[in-house]
Structure formats: structure tokens, C-alpha cells
Amino acid sequence: MDTPLIEQKKPTRFLTSKRILVVGVILAGATLLAAFARSRKKDPVYFTSTVERGDIRSEVTATGTINAVITVQVGSQVSGIIDKLFVDFNSRVKKGQVIAQLDQSIFKAQVQQAQADLENSAANVRALEANIETMKADLASAEANVEKAMAAERQAKLDYDRNLDLFKQGIVAAQVRDQAQSTYDAAVASTKAAKAAAEHSRAMVDTAVSQLAQAKAQVEQKKAALELAKVNLAYTTIYAPVDGTVVARNVDVGQTVAASLQAPTLYTIAQDLTKMLVYAKTDESDVGNIHVGAEATFKVDAYPRETFHGRVSQIRMNPQTIQNVVTYDTVIEFDNPEQKLLPGMTAYVTIPVAEARNAIKIPNGALRFRLEEPERQALFAKYQFKDRGASRAGLTAPDGEGNGGGNGGREGRRAGAGRGKRGGGGGGGDPEVASAEPERKAPVRRPAVQDIRTLYVLQPDKTLRPVVVRTGITDFTYTECAAILQGELKPGEEVVTGKELPNRGISGMLGRGGIGPMGGMRGPR
């Protein structure tokens, strides 16, 4: 009877524990719902940054390479084996100094062969000249024989004519007439033979004269070949073309250099390392802000704590496109008296393009902050702001509507794209708020676009006060307040850069457009 009583009590205890667990879950849920309801009634937490006064510089940054003003590549005009090297890396050379020597044995043999060919041609000329003199003597003898034959022909003609008259008179016999005729005919033939011999001698002389001219031309050709052989021999000795420093040696003793299609480079000489250049790759959007003569500074990894100064000497009109990014070479010249900077070093260049001195500096996070439209309109109505008050000056509306965002918006897009440059937009002063214009260095280069932005000042009672300003140049951390169009803004005031809604967690920190509390966030206020 005892055992059944014990088994009946177990279900009662189990049901009691289950009721307690259900009641606890209900109470916990009620507590969470109450906490959630209380949190929705909390005011948003704002993140702010302080408005400051100071100088703002708009700069263009780029990466470049240090190069000598003139770099000469010394090559070899002829092929051969390197016999001697007289200079090495970092050697200082003077113009005309011997810096290398090729093996000369082959080239000396070529000079000797060319010299022998020249002497042979000269001997041939002399032999032809002597032969011509002999031929001229033979020609003179032949011409004399022509005269002699002609004289004999005339005498035979006279004898024939006389005997012919006597024959007609019947004084001489026909035999005498026929003999005179035969003698005359023989004289005529002798004259023709003498003239032919003379013409042959004259032709021989003309031929010899032509051969002499050809031989003299060959002499000139052999002289040119000799000069070429001497020049090639001279090219085996390599001289420094300029004063400078050897920055590269590309050959060793015993190495064969082949000068076929192009001259092989033996040395690279930098003419003067006390004056050098930086070739900086600048983006196409920055070229319009850079002008020749602008001062520039740069740093190098070898001396990270030193800043070097130079001046823009040229913006080369030779675009280079790499992965749809167009860049131009900006050449910066600088002095290097201690020769600390070496060719090939990477330079991180900064070129100031505009400067505002003693300006009101607005944190860029404040320019990116947006309120929801109903809240913004309510604040404008509370402080009696003109919602489109900037249109009277042809400027953009507050908050940058209609122009794709203001100066801070462009800065945000550039920062998001990871572009390593700093340059600013903005405009000039407003005649109605001239007292708010900061002091600037002249000349100040400014783009034509003027941006109107609305800032929100966090007041001591945790309420917001709007301020409409026109922005100037920016260094991508702070932006110049070029003019205050509506409201008041003073250095030291806290401007809102973002807000956190407690019921939304981290996502509540984002304003309209997904912009968070950037640019000098000091924490919730």
C-alpha cells in the first residue's frame, strides 16, 4: 500500500515546475517589452565635432620617380670582346675620359689590310700613268707615219699626173704610165694604213686614260676603307660623352658585345646629380589645378623625416592610360647639393593648389550629415530660414539638392574610391557676408562650382540649430566656410556629424545616404 502512494506524488511536482518556468518566461518577455518601449521614447544620441579656426590648404598628391636631368646611355658602335673596364658604379667621370676598351687585334688587322689595298691601288695608278705615256709616244709616231704616207701619196700623185700628160703626148710608153699609176695607188693605201694605225694608238691612249681614272677612284675607295677601319679601331676605345656619375655598368671584362641592330649599353651616366627631376604621375582631374612654377614638396622612404622642396617645371602633354585611369607626367625640378637623393627613388609629392588662412574650419563629417526631410523642414520653419534662399545668387540649394551633393559629398566619393589626392572645390565670398570671409594668400585658385550646405549645431539643451553656409576649399578633413548665408556659426561650436537611434543599434548611427559620424568624431553628446 505504501509504494502506490509514493508514485502518485511525482506527477504533481513535475506540473508545478513547468508552471514556474512558464511564468518566468512570461515575466522576462514583459520585462523586455517594457525596456523596448522605454528605449523607443529616448531621444537620439548625436555625434559631434568642433568647429575650428585656422589655415586650410588644398593640395594635389601624387607618386613619382626621381631622375637625373640628363641621363646618357653609353654604348659600343662595334662588336667585340671587353678587354678592359676603367670605371665602375658611382665613378665620377669627365668628358673624354677613357672608360672601357674592346679587344683591338681584329680591328688593327683590318687597318693593315686596308692600308695594303690602298698601296696596291696607288701602284696600279702609277703603272697606268707610265703605260699612258708609252701609248702617247706610239700615237705620236703613228701620226708622223700618217704625215709621211701623205707626203709619199702627194709625190706619187704628181708623178702619175706628169707621166699621164707625157703619155698623151706620146712621149712615154704606156708601161711608164701604168707604173706611175701603181705607185700612186700604193701611196694612197699606205696613207690609209698609217691613219688607221694612228686611230688605234689614239683609242689605246683613251682606254688607258679611262683605266687611270678608274684606278684613281679605286684609290679613293681604298682610302675610305682605310678610314673606316681606323674609325672602327678608334671605336674600340669607349670615352665618356659627358661629365657625370656612373649609375649603371652592364658589362664585365671578357664579355662579348654585339652591335648589330642597336648599340649595346655599356654604362649609364647621370650628367649632374646636384640638379634632379621628379616625374610625378598626376590624375587628369588634378592637372587643371596645377600650373608651371608652383612650389611642391615631396618625401622619400630613405629620409622619412625630411621634406624636400622643388618647383613644377613642366606638365607633359603625353597621357598614359592604365586600366582606364589617365595620368600625366608633372615634372618637378629641385636642387640636390648633397646628392642625398638618388635616381630611381620613389617620391611622394604634394603640390599646394589653394590656401585659405584664418578660415572657419568645418569638419567634413558635418557636411555629410543629413536630417530626414520633415525634421529639416521643421527646423527651417522654427528659425525662419528660407528653404531656397541660395537661389538668389545662382547657387545650389541647401543640402546640395539638384547638384549631386556638395563639397563634402564629392570628398566622400573620392575617399570611398580610394583616390590618393587632396584638392578642393568651393567658391568666393558673398557681398552680404563679407565679414565672414577668411584671409587668403594670393593667388588662390578656385573651381567655379559653389556648394551650399546645411550644418546642424548641437545646442546645450540638446536641440539642433541649422546653419546654411557656402563651402570653400577642403583638405578632406576640414572644409573652409567661405560664407555664412543663414544663421550663425562660431569656432568652438559643436556640429553634428551623425546620430544613433537606440532602438536601431549601429544602423541608427547612419544618416540619410548611409553616412556615419566621420571626420573627428568625439563621441555621443
Side-chain angles (χ1 to χ4, degrees):
M1 294 298 291
D2 294 339
T3 303
L5 291 176
I6 296 174
E7 291 178 354
Q8 290 178 0
K9 292 179 180 180
K10 288 182 179 180
T12 303
R13 293 177 180 176
F14 175 76
L15 292 175
T16 302
S17 301
K18 187 175 181 179
R19 291 192 186 97
I20 294 174
L21 178 61
V22 171
V23 172
V25 170
I26 293 173
L27 291 177
T31 303
L32 290 175
L33 289 175
F36 180 74
R38 288 194 302 271
S39 66
R40 293 188 62 86
K41 297 179 181 180
K42 289 184 179 179
D43 295 331
V45 178
Y46 291 103
F47 295 84
T48 64
S49 291
T50 304
V51 177
E52 301 178 3
R53 181 178 290 277
D55 299 339
I56 297 179
R57 299 180 67 186
S58 178
E59 301 171 333
V60 172
T61 61
T63 302
T65 304
I66 296 177
N67 296 278
V69 177
I70 296 179
T71 301
V72 180
Q73 293 182 342
V74 183
S76 174
Q77 184 73 18
V78 296
S79 302
I81 299 175
I82 300 295
D83 188 23
K84 297 178 183 178
L85 295 176
F86 299 101
V87 295
D88 204 345
F89 290 94
N90 300 339
S91 298
R92 296 180 180 271
V93 296
K94 297 291 184 181
K95 182 178 181 179
Q97 177 183 343
V98 178
I99 58 178
Q101 180 71 61
L102 274 66
D103 184 20
Q104 296 183 333
S105 56
I106 296 177
F107 299 96
K108 287 181 178 179
Q110 291 176 351
V111 170
Q112 293 175 357
Q113 182 179 355
Q115 183 69 42
D117 292 341
L118 175 60
E119 293 177 357
N120 186 28
S121 298
N124 188 26
V125 169
R126 291 192 295 270
L128 286 174
E129 289 175 345
N131 192 21
I132 288 175
E133 293 300 325
T134 302
M135 291 181 179
K136 286 182 177 180
D138 294 340
L139 176 59
S141 176
E143 290 175 346
N145 289 334
V146 170
E147 294 295 333
K148 181 180 178 180
M150 292 177 66
E153 181 184 352
R154 288 192 297 270
Q155 182 62 41
K157 177 65 174 173
L158 292 175
D159 291 344
Y160 171 71
D161 291 341
R162 188 180 302 112
N163 287 326
L164 181 60
D165 290 340
L166 291 176
F167 173 75
K168 289 179 180 180
Q169 296 177 8
I171 299 175
V172 297
Q175 182 180 359
V176 176
R177 183 203 61 184
D178 294 339
Q179 186 178 0
Q181 178 70 41
S182 178
T183 303
Y184 172 68
D185 292 338
V188 171
S190 297
T191 300
K192 291 181 179 179
K195 287 182 178 181
E199 290 299 328
H200 180 265
S201 297
R202 188 175 291 107
M204 293 294 290
V205 171
D206 292 341
T207 302
V209 170
S210 299
Q211 291 176 351
L212 177 61
Q214 183 178 4
K216 289 182 177 179
Q218 289 180 352
V219 169
E220 296 301 322
Q221 183 179 1
K222 298 303 180 182
K223 285 183 179 179
L226 177 60
E227 291 298 324
L228 178 60
K230 290 181 178 179
V231 169
N232 288 336
L233 177 61
Y235 280 151
T236 60
T237 303
I238 311 298
Y239 300 91
V242 294
D243 296 343
T245 304
V246 177
V247 296
R249 175 177 63 81
N250 302 323
V251 294
D252 293 309
V253 175
Q255 181 176 343
T256 301
V257 294
S260 53
L261 298 179
Q262 60 182 5
T265 301
L266 308 183
Y267 292 98
T268 300
I269 299 177
Q271 184 175 12
D272 185 6
L273 294 182
T274 61
K275 296 184 180 296
M276 303 188 73
L277 303 175
V278 176
Y279 294 165
K281 301 291 184 182
T282 52
D283 191 271
E284 59 178 329
S285 61
D286 292 328
V287 172
N289 294 327
I290 303 173
H291 61 280
V292 175
E295 296 184 356
T297 60
F298 62 93
K299 290 179 174 291
V300 296
D301 292 331
Y303 304 98
R305 297 185 179 181
E306 294 189 42
T307 301
F308 301 91
H309 300 268
R311 187 176 299 274
V312 176
S313 63
Q314 187 183 40
I315 301 174
R316 295 187 173 174
M317 303 180 185
N318 181 27
Q320 298 181 6
T321 304
I322 301 176
Q323 295 181 351
N324 295 328
V325 177
V326 181
T327 60
Y328 292 83
D329 279 337
T330 299
V331 181
I332 301 168
E333 59 182 15
F334 66 96
D335 294 331
N336 187 29
E338 300 178 4
Q339 300 187 16
K340 298 170 61 176
L341 302 182
L342 306 178
M345 285 185 172
T346 300
Y348 306 98
V349 181
T350 300
I351 305 174
V353 295
E355 182 177 10
R357 305 186 65 182
N358 196 29
I360 296 177
K361 299 168 58 176
I362 304 171
N364 280 2
L367 299 176
R368 295 190 292 267
F369 176 73
R370 300 287 186 274
L371 285 178
E372 297 295 334
E373 188 61 23
E375 187 176 359
R376 186 186 70 84
Q377 291 181 359
L379 285 177
F380 269 54
K382 176 182 178 181
Y383 286 92
Q384 299 181 352
F385 278 13
K386 295 181 179 180
D387 201 11
R388 300 291 175 178
S391 60
R392 58 180 172 77
L395 305 176
T396 57
D399 289 343
E401 292 91 340
N403 73 332
N407 190 52
R410 283 200 305 274
E411 180 271 331
R413 291 194 298 273
R414 291 183 179 181
R419 301 174 65 179
K421 63 180 183 179
R422 290 172 286 177
D430 189 290
E432 298 181 5
V433 286
S435 60
E437 284 286 346
E439 179 187 356
R440 298 184 180 91
K441 272 188 177 180
V444 177
R445 299 166 58 87
R446 295 180 180 276
V449 178
Q450 298 175 342
D451 294 327
I452 305 300
R453 311 299 294 172
T454 301
L455 310 177
Y456 300 94
V457 179
L458 183 64
Q459 301 188 107
D461 59 356
K462 306 303 180 181
T463 61
L464 299 182
R465 173 170 53 86
V467 181
V468 180
V469 300
R470 181 171 63 238
T471 60
I473 64 174
T474 180
D475 59 5
F476 289 160
T477 302
Y478 289 93
T479 297
E480 171 197 9
C481 176
I484 302 174
L485 303 181
Q486 298 186 81
E488 296 182 357
L489 183 66
K490 299 178 181 179
E493 290 186 318
E494 299 290 333
V495 289
V496 177
T497 59
K499 68 178 179 179
E500 178 185 4
L501 300 178
N503 60 310
R504 299 182 186 176
I506 296 177
S507 62
M509 296 172 60
L510 303 179
R512 181 160 56 92
I515 305 300
M518 300 176 62
M521 183 179 70
R522 297 182 181 275
R525 299 293 178 115

